[in-house]
Amino acid sequence: MSEPLLSNQKPRVKLNTSKRRHRRYYWAYLFITPQFILFVGLTIFPIVMSYVYSFYQWSGIGPLENFIKWENYKELFHDTKFWHDFLHSLEYMVGQTVIVMPLALIMAILFNESKIKGKTFYRTLYFLPVVTSTAIIGIVMANIFGNKDALVNNLLQTFHIIKHPIHWLDNPTLAMTVMIIVGSWKFFGIVMIYWLAGLQSISADIYEAAKIDGANFFSTLWYITLPILKPISAVILLLTVVNGLHVFDLVKTLTDGGPYFSTETIDLFIYNYAFASDGIPRMGYASSAGILFGIFVFLLSIGIGWLIKKAGQDEKVKGKS
Amino acid sequence: MRKLFSLAMGMILLFSLVLAGCSSSADSSSQSSAGGKATITLWNRWPELNDVFKTTIADFEKENPKIHVKLTNVPADQYVAQLQAAIQGNQLPDIFGFNPSLSLPQLTGLDVIHDIDDVITDQKKTQFVDGTWSEGFTTLNGKVYQLPLMSGYHYTNMMFYNKKILNQYGIKSIPKTWDEFLNAGKTIYEKSQGKIYGLIVAGKSSASYETNGEIMSMATAISPEVFWNSGGVTGINYKTGKYDFDTPGIIQTMQYFKKLKDNNVLHPNSMQSDDMQSKGLFENGKAAFTWDGTMAAGIFNNDGFKDWGAAPLPTKDGKPSYEGFQGESPAGLLVSKNTKHYKEVKTFLNYIIDHFYKNLATDGVEEPPIQSAMEGIKQPYPQFQQVVDIQDKIKILAPNPYESNVKAIDVVNNAQGKQPQDDLGNILQGYLSGQISNIKETLKDRTAKFNKALTDAIKSSNGKVSASNFKFSDWTPFKPYKGN
């Protein structure tokens, strides 16, 4: 009697498990739905429409009537201003990445040391610019780096480091440098938190074992910390690069793209064409610029993504050997 | 299952509420309240008019208790984007400020604006200053669409000086020539030991239209064929019908700016200052002079800065300079075609003609478009009449290519889309920062690009517009053009 019972029970258990699993899926789908609808409506739809607009001569109002095929793209390829702005975006991104990545790591390593007092206070302090409005930072920094009666020049003059005020934002190289420094300062805190998260995921046992083996701080850093951080460093690199390529509010408020467009980035280029307040807006042309730059960012992200994967695989191989 | 169903319904309900909240059943145009009170909506994009609107609306609502005017002051740099969105979403307010980026033919073509012929009757038209009713700017195909809020002479460039500084450093007469101005600036800088500069201008990229206007205005004293006009079709030599930026006037004016910078006459913060920052530095005595538009006068007055005077911009040899007036209305109101309260809108527009213009003059913001509105008003500040007189003298009626052929608007708009985005203010920035070494070549290149775009746009009009529409052989610079 018992055998048939057992044979009957097995499928019921399976059925129950499958029902439960399905019910779990329903719940999951239910919770995802609002977000998914918003994502499609507010992210996917505008992206798709940007592709559509890029093939039209369109000012942003009225019906899409003037289909001009690839004309916007052809014009864009010959537009020296677009390529200059493209270069400025790259310059900013490289500058910010080179400054932020190593400095934030050093700071994170310091704050990860248990000996340092007031760690939480300093972490908060470094994180403050992250939560401050970029536009406000831009306006304040424009005053700090002003030519006359401005804080930086006044300080340098007070300490007799310079005789005449430096025209920080009137010189193309200095203006870009100031923008990179301010942008790096703003983004520094969040990268430091990323590094800290990576550092805190490393087991204390490893360090202890290294200590017993006689490893000092630098050899521990070189042979243990940095290799373990390799996969997360690729993720941080990706986030820093993508952030650096999309700088708008800081440029708008700090330099407004000046002097003579030397700090104008692609985001500002797109904005100026799409919503020109003195001239006819060119939404189609701005969209084609956005698409082209978007494709570049996408390819770059794939490249870094490949690095992330490779870094992860290398670590696995090392772990096995 | 029932629980799941209830939850799903709850989620759907919540989500619909969110969407309903986003879409807003009451659009930005006319609304009627339960009490039968009609609400008309108004978007203003001129910050200097905020207070005048506020006062006028308060008085209007007292006299017309059944109408409520909801005023929204939209930041100028977001205005075009907001209009684009409103037109696309069919959410235009009942009344909204005109912006040249969205031209009259474009708006009438989309059928989104209402003509106001029944507000601006033929009899009323005669009250406005000459040239106000002009094709492509205030009228289209003979119908009036735009109600001007200020005189068409609005935004004339002039020179403002700080009387106290001039007295303190012994500058007895107001400079009329470039040399006199340079010497005055050098004296002030030297005597104040570098604490006070001769001149502050707003040269930041977002304010480059200011220096652009100052350059073109001063340049007319040397090359009068190319004039500046804040809201019109500017930069064209109407003798030849072609754009011309590499004129001796413009080149020499650019070089003069450099001379001012090299001699410590130009305040070092000039190229980083927007219009408010430059005014602030002037009011705070950091520079003895500023070159700015007419509206600066009202701002100085509002800020409580009293010790200033106004004069025309200095020119190379002290000869007069001028700016063109082509009938455009730099500030004016349009009415949405979809308004549900056109009757109330009409009442309000008539009230503007009768009261707003007077308030405008009383507050000293700007000269109204009807001269009679100035009669009998108390001068809002002592310099007001001085500013108005300079403005009236500098602005001269000039040829309007739209008058002879309204299709020229489309050509100009098409050309503008393909022309370089920089203006002379941006080029000045590049010249002063050392990025442009050969100013003549840069201006020549700009002229060629502008003309190519214009020629291409004329070609694409399929014969509806010709180059001759931009050529006025009967026009003499400095003489009011009556051929429009």
Side-chain angles (χ1 to χ4, degrees):
Chain A
M1 282 297 278
S2 62
E3 264 185 36
L5 258 177
L6 278 172
S7 62
N8 280 345
Q9 271 174 347
K10 259 190 179 177
R12 198 178 295 160
V13 169
K14 250 189 188 175
L15 192 72
N16 284 343
T17 317
S18 148
K19 247 187 178 177
R20 219 177 295 141
R21 194 183 296 149
H22 273 107
R23 197 175 290 171
R24 266 217 308 271
Y25 283 147
Y26 291 144
W27 278 98
Y29 284 128
L30 192 71
F31 282 114
I32 287 169
T33 307
Q35 162 65 15
F36 180 72
I37 293 171
L38 288 175
F39 177 69
V40 169
L42 302 176
T43 306
I44 300 294
F45 180 71
I47 290 174
V48 171
M49 286 315 287
S50 293
Y51 279 87
V52 176
Y53 297 152
S54 71
F55 293 102
Y56 283 86
Q57 189 179 329
W58 189 54
S59 68
I61 59 164
L64 290 166
E65 283 169 341
N66 199 357
F67 181 69
I68 52 167
K69 295 179 192 168
W70 297 93
E71 282 308 310
N72 282 331
Y73 289 97
K74 280 184 200 166
E75 193 186 331
L76 206 60
F77 273 108
H78 293 101
D79 189 343
T80 46
K81 193 162 171 278
F82 171 76
W83 294 110
H84 281 146
D85 291 0
F86 199 103
L87 199 68
H88 299 150
S89 291
L90 286 182
E91 277 173 20
Y92 178 85
M93 178 272 284
V94 171
Q96 182 180 276
T97 309
V98 166
I99 292 173
V100 167
M101 289 276 291
L103 284 185
L105 174 63
I106 293 168
M107 204 54 86
I109 290 169
L110 283 176
F111 287 147
N112 200 39
E113 283 294 308
S114 50
K115 290 166 199 164
I116 290 180
K117 279 180 185 171
K119 279 189 293 188
T120 319
F121 171 74
Y122 286 114
R123 277 180 204 173
T124 315
L125 200 69
Y126 282 104
F127 199 74
L128 264 180
V130 179
V131 290
T132 311
S133 156
T134 314
I136 300 294
I137 286 177
I139 292 165
V140 171
M141 288 297 174
N143 286 308
I144 288 177
F145 283 96
N147 296 339
K148 180 85 181 154
D149 303 325
L151 185 70
V152 174
N153 274 332
N154 283 356
L155 276 176
L156 293 173
Q157 281 179 308
T158 307
F159 292 109
H160 303 288
I161 297 167
I162 54 166
K163 204 175 171 191
H164 300 289
I166 297 171
H167 290 196
W168 296 102
L169 303 177
D170 280 353
N171 176 298
T173 317
L174 289 178
M176 181 54 91
T177 311
V178 168
M179 212 166 81
I180 290 171
I181 291 170
V182 173
S184 303
W185 171 75
K186 164 94 175 84
F187 194 57
F188 182 85
I190 193 82
V191 180
M192 189 186 75
I193 297 293
Y194 295 153
W195 283 124
L196 263 173
L199 286 168
Q200 284 171 2
S201 69
I202 303 172
S203 164
D205 296 348
I206 303 174
Y207 288 119
E208 207 147 312
K211 209 174 174 183
I212 292 163
D213 288 346
N216 60 21
F217 173 79
F218 289 103
S219 50
T220 311
L221 179 72
W222 190 253
Y223 294 107
I224 296 172
T225 312
L226 293 182
I228 294 177
L229 284 178
K230 220 166 140 191
I232 199 172
S233 67
V235 177
I236 297 171
L237 179 70
L238 175 72
L239 293 169
T240 313
V241 164
V242 173
N243 175 277
L245 286 171
H246 287 297
V247 54
F248 171 73
D249 29 12
L250 184 65
V251 194
K252 183 82 187 130
T253 51
L254 180 60
T255 64
D256 206 10
Y260 194 50
F261 309 110
S262 59
T263 56
E264 187 172 286
T265 55
I266 288 292
D267 284 25
L268 195 57
F269 176 94
I270 294 168
Y271 175 83
N272 286 339
Y273 271 102
F275 309 110
S277 53
D278 44 353
I280 304 301
R282 294 184 69 193
M283 191 65 90
Y285 191 60
S287 298
S288 61
I291 297 295
L292 219 59
F293 193 63
I295 290 171
F296 169 76
V297 176
F298 178 68
L299 292 176
L300 196 70
S301 307
I302 287 180
I304 299 172
W306 177 80
L307 272 179
I308 296 172
K309 207 174 160 190
K310 201 169 176 297
Q313 279 170 352
D314 286 353
E315 283 311 301
K316 271 183 195 167
V317 170
K318 272 185 190 170
K320 277 178 190 170
S321 63
Chain B
M1 197 64 199
R2 196 180 291 166
K3 252 187 187 173
L4 190 65
F5 179 75
S6 317
L7 191 84
M9 290 310 288
M11 292 293 280
I12 289 166
L13 188 72
L14 189 73
F15 193 64
S16 354
L17 280 174
V18 169
L19 285 184
C22 291
S23 67
S24 160
S25 61
D27 61 26
S28 57
S29 63
S30 344
Q31 302 152 24
S32 292
S33 70
K37 197 171 181 176
T39 298
I40 53 176
T41 47
L42 165 66
W43 282 4
N44 167 43
R45 73 176 181 92
W46 300 277
E48 66 270 31
L49 296 182
N50 293 356
D51 288 341
V52 189
F53 267 121
K54 235 168 137 182
T55 317
T56 313
I57 289 169
D59 294 342
F60 173 77
E61 288 181 344
K62 263 184 217 160
E63 287 183 32
N64 299 276
K66 293 217 158 182
I67 308 173
H68 168 57
V69 182
K70 193 178 164 196
L71 171 71
T72 307
N73 296 311
V74 183
D77 58 348
Q78 292 163 26
Y79 192 71
V80 175
Q82 196 151 325
L83 267 191
Q84 283 172 323
I87 292 169
Q88 282 303 99
N90 201 18
Q91 298 274 316
L92 269 179
D94 299 289
I95 307 170
F96 59 99
F98 173 72
N99 186 294
S101 293
L102 303 172
S103 67
L104 278 194
Q106 205 176 4
L107 296 172
T108 50
L110 292 166
D111 202 24
V112 292
I113 53 171
H114 201 298
D115 70 80
I116 49 168
D117 274 348
D118 44 358
V119 177
I120 308 291
T121 58
D122 286 344
Q123 192 267 328
K124 267 204 177 129
K125 274 186 189 172
T126 57
Q127 297 174 13
F128 288 76
V129 289
D130 276 355
T132 300
W133 309 111
S134 184
E135 273 297 284
F137 293 118
T138 44
T139 70
L140 198 68
N141 301 317
K143 285 186 172 182
V144 178
Y145 283 94
Q146 195 186 164
L147 176 71
L149 288 173
M150 302 182 198
S151 157
Y153 297 170
H154 171 69
Y155 208 92
T156 302
N157 287 293
M158 58 183 75
M159 178 164 74
F160 298 94
Y161 51 88
N162 184 320
K163 284 183 186 172
K164 199 177 156 192
I165 295 176
L166 297 195
N167 285 336
Q168 194 179 344
Y169 296 105
I171 309 295
K172 302 276 180 219
S173 57
I174 306 305
K176 284 183 179 147
T177 68
W178 281 353
D179 284 343
E180 285 170 8
F181 187 83
L182 181 76
N183 290 332
K186 277 159 83 173
T187 307
I188 291 163
Y189 180 77
E190 281 157 19
K191 284 191 178 173
S192 69
Q193 292 171 328
K195 282 182 182 146
I196 302 170
Y197 285 79
L199 174 70
I200 176 80
V201 292
K204 197 176 181 177
S205 305
S206 59
S208 62
Y209 61 90
E210 290 212 1
T211 36
N212 178 64
E214 287 145 19
I215 293 164
M216 291 193 77
S217 191
M218 283 191 283
T220 55
I222 303 165
S223 308
E225 300 81 18
V226 182
F227 59 80
W228 185 71
N229 179 10
S230 62
V233 191
T234 194
I236 292 179
N237 177 342
Y238 285 102
K239 280 280 178 198
T240 61
K242 287 183 175 173
Y243 282 101
D244 198 357
F245 297 107
D246 53 333
T247 65
I250 292 175
I251 294 167
Q252 286 176 37
T253 311
M254 291 272 196
Q255 288 165 341
Y256 181 64
F257 259 104
K258 184 140 188 3
K259 208 171 172 183
L260 293 177
K261 187 195 170 212
D262 295 343
N263 283 282
N264 289 320
V265 175
L266 187 66
H267 194 288
N269 284 4
S270 287
M271 291 299 118
Q272 293 168 31
S273 298
D274 60 26
D275 58 340
M276 293 318 285
Q277 285 166 328
S278 69
K279 283 179 190 71
L281 287 168
F282 174 67
E283 288 177 4
N284 288 310
K286 301 290 179 192
F289 297 91
T290 186
W291 296 343
D292 209 324
T294 333
M295 66 175 185
I299 294 171
F300 297 150
N301 180 54
N302 283 344
D303 291 350
F305 177 57
K306 308 279 178 206
D307 219 4
W308 60 274
L313 291 173
T315 56
K316 190 184 176 187
D317 302 316
K319 287 180 187 167
S321 60
Y322 81 103
E323 290 174 13
F325 171 51
Q326 295 167 292
E328 77 288 348
S329 175
L333 296 178
L334 300 174
V335 175
S336 165
K337 188 90 182 239
N338 292 333
T339 178
K340 287 168 193 155
H341 295 291
Y342 185 62
K343 203 178 122 201
E344 286 80 3
V345 165
K346 259 169 58 181
T347 313
F348 181 64
L349 293 184
N350 277 313
Y351 196 85
I352 282 189
I353 296 171
D354 296 336
H355 298 85
F356 179 91
Y357 294 161
K358 252 196 186 340
N359 290 342
L360 191 72
T362 312
D363 284 10
V365 176
E366 186 44 86
E367 195 181 353
I370 291 180
Q371 290 281 333
S372 59
M374 296 274 285
E375 285 166 13
I377 64 148
K378 199 183 150 220
Q379 290 292 308
Y381 45 89
Q383 303 94 331
F384 184 66
Q385 197 55 51
Q386 188 187 12
V387 169
V388 168
D389 289 345
I390 296 167
Q391 178 165 270
D392 290 352
K393 211 172 166 187
I394 288 175
K395 283 277 179 181
I396 297 175
L397 207 55
N400 170 13
Y402 303 159
E403 202 63 50
S404 59
N405 186 352
V406 77
K407 291 279 173 203
I409 301 174
D410 298 331
V411 165
V412 169
N413 286 349
N414 282 343
Q416 274 183 355
K418 298 286 169 74
Q419 285 159 351
Q421 267 200 328
D422 57 353
D423 58 22
L424 297 182
N426 296 124
I427 293 175
L428 178 72
Q429 232 188 25
Y431 185 48
L432 297 186
S433 67
Q435 293 173 84
I436 294 171
S437 53
N438 191 338
I439 189 71
K440 207 173 172 181
E441 276 307 308
T442 307
L443 292 171
K444 201 175 167 187
D445 180 54
R446 186 169 193 264
T447 303
K449 283 177 180 161
F450 265 69
N451 279 323
K452 188 185 177 305
L454 181 66
T455 313
D456 290 349
I458 289 173
K459 267 185 205 161
S460 64
S461 75
N462 297 323
K464 285 176 190 156
V465 177
S466 72
S468 65
N469 289 127
F470 298 92
K471 208 170 165 182
F472 295 80
S473 47
D474 57 339
W475 169 62
T476 310
F478 279 104
K479 283 191 176 170
Y481 184 71
K482 301 283 183 189
N484 285 336

